[in-house]
Amino acid sequence: MQLQDEGLLQTRAYFDGGWHEADDGSTTPVLNPATGETLAQVSRCGQVETRRAIAAAHRAFLDWRQRTAEERAAALGRLNDLIMANLEDLSRILTIEQGKPLAEARKEVEIGAGYIKWFAEEARRVYGDTIPSPRKDHRLLAIKQPVGVAACITPWNFPNAMLARKLGPALASGCTVVCKPANATPLSALALAELSARAEIPAGVVNVLCGDTQAIGAEMTSNPRVRKLTFTGSTEVGKLLLEQCAATVKRTSMELGGNAPFIVFDDADLDAAVQGALACKYRNAGQTCVCANRIFVQSGIYRDFAERFAAASAAQQIGNGLDDDTVIGPLIDRQAADSVLEMIEDAMTLGAEVVTGGKRAGNGECFVEPTVLTAVKPEMRVFREEIFGPVAPLFEFDTEEEAIALANDTDAGLAAYFYARDVGRIWRVAEALDYGIVGVNEGIVTNPMSPFGGMKESGSGREGSKYGMDDYLEIKYLCMGGL
């Protein structure tokens, strides 16, 4: 990998303050999606190792919860400093295992550090309340305490930032964590585990292991010492985890799938809308839960927008994420590329027209050309399903009411975007969209200061912002009598 610090490339599980191979010695290969080469063999853990990690997290919790907010903030501050000091190595690890362009990887690592820094500061702001009492000899208070051991399951599309977004509030609130990164991209998470050790975060506070997804997940959801589970991933898996957590009534937060509308009204700044759509659609090769999935354009500007957007899409450079001129990297694996191509074929069969792209790119089996489809209809899969690839279906609409109805016609409710200049329209549409996140004249909306989460089947809870601490805290009511 040509890292400046080879110690960041870890392949064993990290729990109870040490590095461990799987008990049976088994491993899982990590592949570079751009080249197909094997990067590493990572320890393949299962139920036994997960149970040991949870036990370690439980022991550590009894001490970590007693640390002052200042102590926890200082530990997270050290972790933030180490992440930024190792920015280039962490970015390179991320690009090589996940595929995204190196410039995007750097931004992801920076925003991951931003979450750690933000929650280091929020650790000092876990406030309670005093409540007016109905009796003179009583005093009523509400205090906040950490939930306990938190299980964190993170996806492969943002393997650094998604873990940091969970580590930050968990550790700041006094919880300890057992983390299961995606098997396709474990190296970024293991590098963060290494940095947490260097930051002198106590043994057992941070634990990271990957391997048998079903066995690890079953132990996390059934073990009574785990009091909170946070998951970022597909809606299908999220529903299963919710069912499994019900038996022990765990706290859960779910950031699940999306089907984001991107609406361009006829009063929009068309150049800005095209650039916003490009950034929103093709970031990480379209493999984001908040990327533009359905682009709705008002009829008066539909043809003009389609021509400009298609030309800009065709100009996007495809290639290995390590190449300086690459804008769109590979999809995570061959199966993901095949799935995207099947969606394109479905749309074409039902009458959609390919303006640009539409095929597997010549760079390798995991690459798909940036694709723009016109004459798209709601009965096509690209309307109903999350594409998770560089495919932009363009839908034509006539009225504001029609655009809102089409945008809300989905079980998902994570992110939505629209471009307009009329102030009245901006307020009406922003309030009418059934989504947890709405970008107005902006295609990139994520930052540590803002709440991230969805409505409907896109999940529950919020990550980032001052609200991100809430899912890791219990409210305890104190009634003091005899005063």
Side-chain angles (χ1 to χ4, degrees):
M1 284 199 179
Q2 300 177 336
L3 303 178
Q4 299 173 23
D5 184 349
E6 295 292 344
L8 293 176
L9 181 58
Q10 296 290 340
T11 60
R12 294 175 293 170
Y14 179 77
F15 55 86
D16 205 11
W19 296 97
H20 305 270
E21 295 182 355
D23 283 6
D24 62 2
S26 62
T27 61
T28 298
V30 182
L31 306 180
N32 182 338
T35 65
E37 67 178 317
T38 299
L39 301 171
Q41 295 285 345
V42 174
S43 295
R44 180 177 174 81
C45 298
Q47 181 185 38
V48 173
E49 296 87 351
T50 307
R51 188 172 296 168
R52 288 166 58 195
I54 292 171
H58 178 70
R59 290 192 299 270
F61 172 67
L62 301 178
D63 168 68
W64 185 247
R65 69 181 299 181
Q66 299 298 329
R67 302 290 181 101
T68 65
E70 184 67 28
E71 289 177 296
R72 296 196 296 269
L76 286 169
R78 293 192 297 270
L79 179 56
N80 167 70
D81 292 343
L82 285 167
I83 292 173
M84 292 307 298
N86 291 278
L87 174 63
E88 288 305 313
D89 277 351
L90 294 173
S91 302
R92 190 173 182 85
I93 290 171
L94 201 166
T95 288
I96 292 174
E97 70 170 342
Q98 199 278 333
K100 67 181 59 178
L102 194 55
E104 282 193 30
R106 289 192 189 100
K107 291 178 182 178
E108 178 180 338
V109 174
E110 287 172 350
I111 197 171
Y115 281 112
I116 297 296
K117 183 178 181 181
W118 170 265
F119 285 109
E121 297 162 347
E122 286 298 290
R124 302 181 178 91
R125 301 185 182 95
V126 180
Y127 302 131
D129 295 290
T130 57
I131 304 167
S133 172
R135 294 177 55 176
K136 294 180 180 180
D137 61 345
H138 280 62
R139 298 295 182 270
L140 313 180
L141 301 93
I143 64 173
K144 295 181 180 180
Q145 294 181 310
V147 170
V149 176
C152 307
I153 303 176
T154 56
W156 50 260
N157 56 344
F158 291 91
N160 182 291
M162 295 301 95
L163 180 55
R165 196 159 73 184
K166 298 178 190 300
L167 280 180
L171 270 58
S173 66
C175 296
T176 56
V177 297
V178 178
C179 306
K180 163 64 174 71
N183 288 336
T185 56
L187 302 179
S188 291
L190 293 171
L192 286 181
E194 168 65 20
L195 292 182
S196 74
R198 296 183 190 182
E200 300 178 359
I201 294 174
V205 173
V206 175
N207 308 274
V208 180
L209 73 170
C210 58
D212 186 332
T213 300
Q214 186 173 358
I216 293 172
E219 183 62 30
M220 285 179 163
T221 56
S222 64
N223 193 310
R225 285 178 166 173
V226 174
R227 295 309 313 146
K228 154 74 183 226
L229 184 137
T230 172
F231 170 73
T232 299
S234 72
T235 301
E236 180 183 9
V237 174
K239 289 178 179 180
L240 177 62
L241 291 171
L242 285 170
E243 291 178 6
Q244 294 175 347
C245 286
T248 49
V249 196
K250 298 187 193 306
R251 289 275 294 276
T252 61
S253 55
M254 298 280 161
E255 196 265 281
L256 307 178
N259 189 2
F262 189 105
I263 308 170
V264 185
F265 289 101
D266 55 12
D267 64 326
D269 180 329
L270 202 55
D271 290 333
V274 169
Q275 292 304 311
L278 283 173
C280 188
K281 174 69 259 185
Y282 296 125
R283 186 168 64 111
N284 199 22
Q287 298 172 116
T288 86
C289 53
V290 295
C291 76
N293 207 64
R294 300 167 296 154
I295 300 178
F296 301 102
V297 185
Q298 200 154 15
S299 54
I301 59 170
Y302 180 85
R303 184 180 297 276
D304 193 4
F305 178 91
E307 290 176 355
R308 296 192 197 189
F309 183 72
S313 297
Q316 304 296 298
Q317 182 67 38
I318 308 170
N320 189 312
L322 295 178
D323 296 338
D324 291 339
D325 56 352
T326 293
V327 177
I328 298 179
L331 300 190
I332 190 62
D333 54 30
R334 172 66 183 264
Q335 182 179 358
D338 290 345
S339 176
V340 170
L341 292 169
E342 288 170 4
M343 286 194 177
I344 296 172
E345 182 64 29
D346 170 79
M348 293 173 61
T349 300
L350 294 176
E353 298 178 5
V354 176
V355 182
T356 187
K359 305 184 300 296
R360 196 184 306 273
N363 308 71
E365 63 180 13
C366 297
F367 292 84
V368 175
E369 296 175 337
T371 299
V372 177
L373 303 173
T374 57
V376 188
K377 304 299 180 185
E379 58 266 25
M380 299 173 185
R381 288 179 60 193
V382 290
F383 183 90
R384 296 292 173 189
E385 301 177 26
E386 190 172 22
I387 300 169
F388 239 61
V391 178
L394 306 186
F395 301 81
E396 188 173 356
F397 72 89
D398 292 318
T399 67
E400 179 181 311
E401 293 75 16
E402 182 185 1
I404 293 170
L406 285 167
N408 288 338
D409 186 15
T410 174
D411 291 331
L414 185 54
Y417 311 86
F418 70 93
Y419 276 68
R421 285 299 180 191
D422 180 86
V423 174
R425 168 176 280 170
I426 286 174
W427 277 109
R428 290 192 303 271
V429 176
E431 293 179 352
L433 291 170
D434 293 334
Y435 292 83
I437 303 165
V438 178
V440 183
N441 295 318
E442 180 56 60
I444 302 294
V445 295
T446 305
N447 58 71
M449 292 72 71
S450 303
F452 190 100
M455 300 177 179
K456 298 188 284 189
E457 292 191 10
S458 283
S460 60
R462 292 296 182 269
E463 294 187 315
S465 79
K466 66 177 183 179
Y467 306 107
M469 295 284 283
D470 293 345
D471 282 331
Y472 297 88
L473 294 165
E474 296 279 17
I475 297 175
K476 180 181 288 185
Y477 160 51
L478 306 180
C479 178
M480 298 183 178
L483 304 178

